[in-house]
Structure formats: C-alpha cells, structure tokens
Amino acid sequence: MSTNRLEHDTATVPGKGIASGAVTKAMSRHVVLVAAVAALGGLLFGYDTGVVSGALLFLHRSFGAIGSFDKELVVSLLLVGAVVGALGAGRIADKVGRRPTMLITAVVFIVGVLAAAFSPSLELLIAMRFVIGLAVGSASELVPLFISEAAPPKLRGALVSFNQLAVTIGILVASLVDYALAGSEDWRLMFGLAAIPAALLFVGMVFQDESPHWLIRKGRVEDARRVLAKVLPTDDIEPEINDVQSLTVSKGRLHDLLKPSLRKVILVGVILAALQQVTGINTVIYYLPTLLKDAGFGSSSSLLANVGNGIVNVALTIVAIRLVDHVGRRPLLIGGMCGMTLGLLVVAVDFLVSGGHLHGTGATVAVIAFFFYTGSFGIGLGPVFWLLISEIYPVDVRGQAMSLATMTNWGANFIVTISFLTLLDVIHASGTFFLFSALAIFAVVYTIMRVPETRGESLPQIERDLEDERQFKPGSDRK
Ligand code: BGC
C-alpha cells in the first residue's frame, strides 16, 4: 500500500464517507452533462490564452505599427487579469454560491471578447485583455471546484479533468483558427469567436443546479437533497449530507488558511501550482513556433509542429482521464513529471550540441522531445494539478484555498512568460531547458514526499483523512 494512499471503500463505512458503487447510467449522464457545460469555461481559458499569438501578427492592420512593449501588454495583461480574477472568484463563490459566480464569469467573458473584437483603439483592446483575464482566472478556479462538488467519488477524477481536456482543446482550436484566418488577417474574428462558447456557458449555467456541498454548508439541506438525488443512489444521499455537515465549521476567512492544521495542505496546492508553471509548459505552448523558427525551421513547419504539439496535449489528456480514477493521482503525476524531465533534458542537450541551430537529426530529435514533454505534462501535471486543488481542501475554505493556488499558478505563469525571452538571451535555450529540467526533478521529489493520493474517496472523507498529520509523512502506515 502506497504510503500516501487514502483508502477507498465501495461500501458505506460509518463515519468514513459514502459508497458510490451504485451510480446509475442516468446519474452518470447527468453528471457528465454538468461537467461538459462547466468545462466550456476551460475551453475559453485555453482559447483566450492561445489565440493571441496569431492575432498579434495582424493588429498593425488596425492600429499601425505596434511596439514590443504594447505587444507584451496585449499578451500578458490577460495573465495579470487572471490573477485578480482568481482572487475574487473564490471569495464570491463561497459567499453567493458557485452557480451565480459562474454566470457572472460568463457575462464577463462575453463582454470582454466582444469589446476586444470590436475595439476601436489599442488601449481599449489592452484593457479588454485584462477583463478577459478576470474571467479566465475565475473560470480556471470555478470549473474544477463546481465539478468536483457535483461528481460522485468514483467519477470525480475523470470529470474534473474534463476541464483540462477543454483547456487543451481550446488551445488547439485557437492554433487552428489562427492558422485558418492568417490569410484574411482577421484578428477581430480570432478574438470574437470566443463569444460563442461564452454564450453557451451562460445558457448552460442557467439550467445548472447549485453545488450540493455549498447548499449544505449554507443550511439549504432540502435543496441539496434534490440536487444530490440526480447524482447519487438514494442510500448514499443522507450519509453524504451528514458527512458534509459533520465537518468542522469555520467562516472560511482568509486568515483561516494560515491555521497550522491547514498549512501543509495549503502548501501542497501552492507549490504544485508554481511547479506546473516553472517547469516551462507555457514557454512551449506560447513560443514553440518562435523557438523552432529561430533554430532554423521554416514558418509553416514551425506552425505545423505547433499544431502537432497541441494534438499530443489533447490526446494524452484523454489518456489521463481514462486512467486517473483507476491508477490514481500520484502515479500519473510522478510518471508524467519523470517524462517531462526526460523531454526537457533531451531538448537542452540537443540545443547544447547543436550550438542553437537545429538541422537534420537535431531538428527531428527536438520536435520529438518537445512532443514527449508536452504529452508527459498532458498525462500528469496538467490535469492532476487542477484536480488535486479541487479535492484536498476543507469545504469551508475550499473557495479561498483554491483561489490562492490558482493565483499562484497565474502569477507564476506571468513571471515565466515575461522572463523567458530574456532567459534565452542570457543563458541560451540549452541553459533555459536545463533550468526547467532541474525544477522538474524537484517536482518529482516533492510529489513523492508530499502529495497525497485521493483516488476514490468522497470529499468529506479526504478532508477527514488530511486532518491527520500522518498523511503527509512518507513512511507512515496509514491504510
Ligand atoms: C495550465 C496552463 C497551460 C495548459 C496547457 C494548464 O493546466 O494551467 O497554464 O497552458 O495546461 O495544456
């Protein structure tokens, strides 16, 4: 038995959460629909972060020559907006509920992308990138939260990871849209197309129920019972309600996150959030065509390699969804991080021996290594980070704690994104990828030592288990 494994029981164990074996097809269908609607938020996250690389090439058609600082603002203000959005979303979601906060997020998306698409000035466009960022940050946190609270334990890993699948599909669709619209140079349409999934998200959320866990915590038990009846077998409903009710009550204030009993679990989320970014994923997602072009590739082969990389990301995320509730979170994380390390090391050595110019075998090796790296992220750290931060926090501080992890993720994304080109100048591509490899090795060691397994557990059960210090001590014999 793995040291950090939380035990999964298929039968109801008094005081240890609920069984989930008898989830019917209708229940599964309902919860898949809930996850699919919410995951439109993930699609928008992926699309809006991805689409800008193509749109950037054509802004001069409307606004004349644009300096690199303004271009950086167009790209990175979304990331700053996302930090702020993540900060606000958790508080609002804990206060007014998950569903109204998702509806507000959808409205901000619609307003932001339409105003960006029709923007008469560069200044307004830059401001709207910040506004879109608010919605992206909010969605990146709310979607996993909303799905995890609605899903039965056995399906939770796969359903929450729908969100990451939607993110990767959003990025892939953005690269295809950029490619398809490059001929017409229509940057407005590139931005504006996001209004379609944003409108679908709004309409879909109008028909969704509020999160049952939030309802229970607010004392609206009858409403919660009605919602739970759609996703849980009758026998499991009361134990689930009792389970959520029995958890320690706190007001969910920010300083609660600093309580010694929570510190370790908060740190796991924050450190994984930073590691997801500082191991370089978005330098590859945002800059792969640039990297390959600088290393001697033609424009179209660089763009093609980029689309290939997007497909690998989607494909391996699908594999993760199939595996995550069977093999668990830790094996995917650890295996994926080892793969990322290997891919990064090969890229670094390749750049080192080629002196920065990739030709023939060197070029082939680089593309294979980048694909391998992205695929390894897709099967592990990509989906599992978002899944774990929706699972490991106590319900009363879940929104706030997820905010903290999500803000850290966007903040680290911002720092890596703005420093990457400078890193390339100063320590070159080989040094930069060696640095990412070192951080990936740290990620492996950290995960082995500190990250808990949550497969198959109900959320209240995870909460109780994680209150136990031993969860975090490797070598403990918790069963
Ligand atoms: C990360 C994003 C990244 C995406 C790539 C997400 O899990 O948070 O920063 O762009 O994965 O698939």
Side-chain angles (χ1 to χ4, degrees), residues 1 38 45 49 84 87 90 96 107 126 147 175 205 258 265 281 315 327 348 354 361 363 392 394 400 453 469 471:
M1 161 79 45
F45 160 178
T49 51
V84 180
L87 173 69
V96 304
V107 171
I126 289 172
I147 301 176
S175 67
M205 283 311 300
L258 301 174
V265 82
I281 187 62
V327 304
S354 68
T361 321
I392 59 176
Q400 304 256 16
E453 181 57 80
E469 276 273 295
Q471 261 311 306

Side-chain angles (χ1 to χ4, degrees), residues 45 164 167-168 171 276-277 281-282 285-286 313 377 381-383 386 409 413:
F45 160 178
Q164 174 69 14
V167 173
T168 60
I171 293 171
Q276 200 207 34
Q277 296 298 327
I281 187 62
N282 285 314
I285 304 259
Y286 303 161
N313 198 5
F377 175 89
L381 195 52
W386 293 107
N409 188 266
N413 186 347

